[in-house]
């Protein structure tokens, strides 16, 4: 990127949001203060991807900021005012204005002792990476770049304004942010940043699980999550975030087509992302987590067979339990925990399909067990084919095509998304003369199993089967 061209592009992009920024800068200038567009907003402007959410910094103190924007902003909130930040909205844009900061850290937690500063250079020094330590003086449209952020951006390198040791000691979460920027922007960390991440990985224990989870999710939803995950593994940070992932390096894939399950899983993740893009999906955290973790049960279930082979019996069952435990520890929502664990549990089911030997009953169970996760399961199973044998890969994809066609046919005939017993709970109670209670639930589940095995029953057949069940189970 030519520096002059980059600056010209940034100013052009900045003018796109004018007169909003100009109006705001005029308000601050009239009050005797300077206003700068700063941080990620400048980085994104240089990359041609500026959003309507903008970050500003100023020499004005928080109380003064409130007075300046009062009457001009459509809405004002003071949630972050103790940290010097005033949030406003104006014509659909979200703006955050923060007083220059010169914070100090106790290096026990990650929250700073907020100290207001007096210079833009001092404010930029405290930021995480040089690509986020650039500013534009809105009154003059001049760049402020004391730490060579533009050079780093041109080289697509992540470096820190201060030394990495100082930066990460102040806030260890910045090590995960480095990996996140690798995933989102495709940048490469400077060697000294990587070295510091290796030496200081243990500092991440100071960070709460919720903060770690938020960065991990953003990383996985990025454009290049494999690069970022490899960085986490290589620096030792993964041992603290997702230890099961580097743990997969110990397991040899049963097909002997890959170096190990670790690399296989990263390839599955990439292939799942390719299927998302093919079908026009937005980045899907549940699918990506499932792709990454689907084989984490293999190390615990690895067995060396007498003939020289390797087996991983029931690794999907063990993996589902491990997935649930890890995602709970990372404080993911119950829905995400349940969905990812279920996909891990189901990902191997297709391999019993053979060349289409499943009965319609087995197909119904596959669909019913997947439920609303069926489309994700389709992608996970297809992505899990990483063999380098093109003929074998094509055969597997054709077989899965056949399964999807059978699912579509049966769904069209029977509406599998709404599979229910042919008699509901009220009918069961009326026919058997039962009060509400566990026996009704048992009868309902029995009829649902019959519905999955045999398809829809007539009312007469359903009643006959209910009476047969009642007789066999001693239900009067």
């Amino acid at each position: 990127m030519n520096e002059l061209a980059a600056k010209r592009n940034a100013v052009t992009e900045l003018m796109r949001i004018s007169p909003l920024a100009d109006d705001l800068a005029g308000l601050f200038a009239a009050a005797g203060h300077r206003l700068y567009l700063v941080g990620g907003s400048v980085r994104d402007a240089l990359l041609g991807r500026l959003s309507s959410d903008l970050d500003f910094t100023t020499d004005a103190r928080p109380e003064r900021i409130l007075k300046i924007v009062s009457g001009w902003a459509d809405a004002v909130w003071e949630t972050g005012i103790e940290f010097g930040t005033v949030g406003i909205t104006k014509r659909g844009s979200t703006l955050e204005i923060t007083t220059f900061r010169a914070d100090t850290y106790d290096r026990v937690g990650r929250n700073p002792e907020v100290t207001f500063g007096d210079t833009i250079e001092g404010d930029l020094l405290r930021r995480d990476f040089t690509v986020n330590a650039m500013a534009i003086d809105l009154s003059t449209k001049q760049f402020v770049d004391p730490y060579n952020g533009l050079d780093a951006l041109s080289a697509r390198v992540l470096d820190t304004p201060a030394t990495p040791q100082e930066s990460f000691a102040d806030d260890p979460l910045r090590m995960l942010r480095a990996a996140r920027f690798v995933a989102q922007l495709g940048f490469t960390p400077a060697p000294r940043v990587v070295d510091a991440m290796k030496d200081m990985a243990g500092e991440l224990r100071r960070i709460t699980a919720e903060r770690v989870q938020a960065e991990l999710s953003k990383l996985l939803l990025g454009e290049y999550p494999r690069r970022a995950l490899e960085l986490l593994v290589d620096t030792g940070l993964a041992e603290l975030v997702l230890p099961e992932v580097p743990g997969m390096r110990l397991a040899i894939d049963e097909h002997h087509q890959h170096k190990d399950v670790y690399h296989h899983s990263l390839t599955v993740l990439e292939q799942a992302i390719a299927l998302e893009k093919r079908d026009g999906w937005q980045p899907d955290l549940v699918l990506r987590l499932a792709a990454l973790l689907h084989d984490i049960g293999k190390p615990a279930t690895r067995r060396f067979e007498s003939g020289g082979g390797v087996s991983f019996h029931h690794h999907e069952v063990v993996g589902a339990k491990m997935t649930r435990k890890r995602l709970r520890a990372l404080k993911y929502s119950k829905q995400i925990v349940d969905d990812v664990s279920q996909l891990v549990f189901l990902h191997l089911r297709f391999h019993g399909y053979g060349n289409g030997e499943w009965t319609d009953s087995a197909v119904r169970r596959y669909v019913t067990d997947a439920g609303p996760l069926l489309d994700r399961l389709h992608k996970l199973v297809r992505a899990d084919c990483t063999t380098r044998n093109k003929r074998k890969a094509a055969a597997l994809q054709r077989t899965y095509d056949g399964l999807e066609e059978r699912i579509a046919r049966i769904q069209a005939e029977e509406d599998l998304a709404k599979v229910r017993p042919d008699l509901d709970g009220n009918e069961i109670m009326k026919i058997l003369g039962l009060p509400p209670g566990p026996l009704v639930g048992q009868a309902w589940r029995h009829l649902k199993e019959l519905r999955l095995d045999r398809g829809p029953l007539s009312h007469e057949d359903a009643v006959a089967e209910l009476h047969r069940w009642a007789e066999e189970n001693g239900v009067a």
Side-chain angles (χ1 to χ4, degrees):
M1 181 191 303
N2 176 275
E3 182 174 347
L4 182 60
K7 290 182 177 180
R8 188 182 300 117
N9 290 342
V11 172
T12 299
E13 185 66 10
L14 178 62
M15 294 307 291
R16 183 177 67 81
I17 61 167
S18 293
L20 191 63
D22 283 345
D23 288 351
L24 189 59
L27 291 175
F28 276 79
H33 296 285
R34 307 294 289 271
L35 186 71
Y36 300 82
L37 187 70
V38 72
S41 295
V42 176
R43 181 199 69 223
D44 289 344
L46 287 163
L47 294 172
R49 45 185 279 176
L50 187 64
S51 74
S52 59
D53 294 344
L54 304 174
D55 295 323
F56 300 88
T57 190
T58 178
D59 57 338
R61 295 301 192 252
E63 298 77 11
R64 186 72 171 147
I65 296 173
L66 287 172
K67 290 181 180 178
I68 293 171
V69 301
S70 178
W72 180 79
D74 297 332
V76 178
W77 66 93
E78 303 178 28
T79 308
I81 198 164
E82 64 179 304
F83 300 105
T85 299
V86 174
I88 66 175
T89 57
K90 182 70 173 182
R91 295 200 295 270
S93 293
T94 301
L95 317 177
E96 288 194 348
I97 308 166
T98 302
T99 302
F100 292 160
R101 299 238 309 249
D103 303 336
T104 57
Y105 292 79
D106 62 12
R107 299 189 174 178
V108 175
R110 68 176 292 265
N111 293 324
E113 179 182 333
V114 177
T115 305
F116 297 134
D118 297 310
T119 67
I120 183 64
E121 292 79 11
D123 180 85
L124 297 176
L125 178 64
R126 71 179 182 84
R127 295 179 182 266
D128 52 4
F129 301 106
T130 58
V131 294
N132 296 329
M134 298 178 285
I136 298 176
D137 187 330
L138 292 174
S139 62
T140 64
K141 302 296 191 295
Q142 294 297 306
F143 273 81
V144 180
D145 184 19
Y147 307 107
N148 300 314
L150 189 58
D151 289 342
L153 191 67
S154 299
R156 305 185 76 78
V157 168
L158 279 177
D159 206 346
T160 51
T163 67
Q165 289 77 10
E166 291 177 281
S167 183
F168 298 158
D170 283 346
D171 185 358
L173 191 65
R174 289 173 174 171
M175 293 185 284
L176 281 188
R177 285 172 60 82
R180 192 240 292 181
F181 284 127
V182 168
Q184 291 179 329
L185 303 174
F187 286 11
T188 300
R192 69 172 190 159
V193 170
V194 175
D195 289 343
M197 291 169 72
K198 291 178 179 178
D199 293 341
M200 303 178 68
E203 293 294 311
L204 196 63
R205 294 187 179 92
R206 290 160 46 191
I207 307 302
T208 64
E210 290 84 355
R211 293 280 189 175
V212 170
Q213 179 243 101
E215 289 296 328
L216 176 63
S217 296
K218 292 174 184 176
L219 180 160
L220 287 171
L221 292 172
E223 184 75 13
Y224 314 101
R226 178 172 186 155
R227 299 184 198 176
L229 289 164
E230 288 173 335
L231 175 64
L232 293 182
V233 171
D234 292 344
T235 56
L237 284 163
E239 296 287 352
L240 297 161
V241 179
L242 282 174
E244 297 81 3
V245 171
M248 287 190 287
R249 290 178 298 181
L250 303 176
I252 301 170
D253 186 88
E254 73 269 32
H255 301 299
H256 303 287
Q257 297 295 315
H258 312 280
K259 291 181 180 179
D260 53 32
V261 176
Y262 166 66
H263 286 98
H264 163 74
S265 298
L266 294 178
T267 300
V268 172
L269 173 61
E270 288 185 312
Q271 294 187 166
I273 292 171
L275 290 172
E276 283 179 359
K277 293 178 179 177
R278 183 199 69 180
D279 294 344
W281 284 25
Q282 293 298 311
D284 185 338
L285 181 61
V286 167
L287 175 62
R288 295 186 183 197
L289 279 167
L292 177 64
L293 302 177
H294 74 284
D295 274 348
I296 62 171
K298 281 188 172 180
T301 58
R302 180 175 60 168
R303 297 291 182 271
F304 296 100
E305 305 295 345
S306 57
V310 181
S311 67
F312 303 94
H313 295 308
H314 305 301
H315 76 267
E316 75 282 9
V317 178
V318 174
K321 292 178 180 178
M322 292 172 65
T323 296
R324 184 173 294 278
K325 182 178 180 180
R326 176 54 52 198
L327 296 186
R328 282 176 172 169
L330 286 168
K331 307 297 184 182
Y332 276 102
S333 69
K334 182 180 184 301
Q335 188 68 59
I336 289 178
V337 172
D338 289 346
D339 287 351
V340 177
S341 302
Q342 182 70 350
L343 286 171
V344 171
F345 177 71
L346 292 174
H347 85 273
L348 209 59
R349 181 82 62 87
F350 164 71
H351 294 283
Y353 187 69
N355 292 315
E357 290 88 354
W358 277 3
T359 62
D360 282 357
S361 170
V363 175
R364 290 188 196 99
R365 290 182 183 280
Y366 187 75
V367 174
T368 302
D369 289 348
L373 299 172
L374 183 62
D375 287 341
R376 286 171 168 141
L377 182 59
H378 288 333
K379 285 181 170 51
L380 177 59
V381 172
R382 289 185 182 276
D384 194 23
C385 175
T386 60
T387 176
R388 295 172 185 172
N389 184 319
K390 292 183 179 179
R391 182 177 298 176
K392 184 177 179 181
L396 284 170
Q397 295 299 336
R398 283 196 302 271
T399 302
Y400 204 83
D401 288 342
L403 175 57
E404 287 202 57
E405 289 167 5
R406 287 184 66 187
I407 288 172
R409 173 180 60 78
I410 296 173
Q411 282 180 322
E413 294 172 355
E414 303 179 18
D415 193 6
L416 291 182
K418 299 178 181 178
V419 168
R420 295 288 186 275
D422 296 285
L423 302 174
D424 64 21
N426 289 328
E427 290 175 297
I428 291 170
M429 289 189 289
K430 181 178 179 180
I431 292 167
L432 296 182
L434 292 174
L439 283 176
V440 179
Q442 292 173 26
W444 188 93
R445 286 189 290 275
H446 172 72
L447 291 176
K448 182 175 179 180
E449 290 297 311
L450 286 177
R451 172 73 172 75
L452 289 170
D453 282 337
R454 293 163 49 181
L457 302 178
S458 68
H459 185 271
E460 181 180 350
D461 286 343
V463 171
E465 291 292 346
L466 178 62
H467 282 301
R468 185 175 296 114
W469 173 86
E471 183 177 349
E472 290 174 353
N473 288 274
V475 179

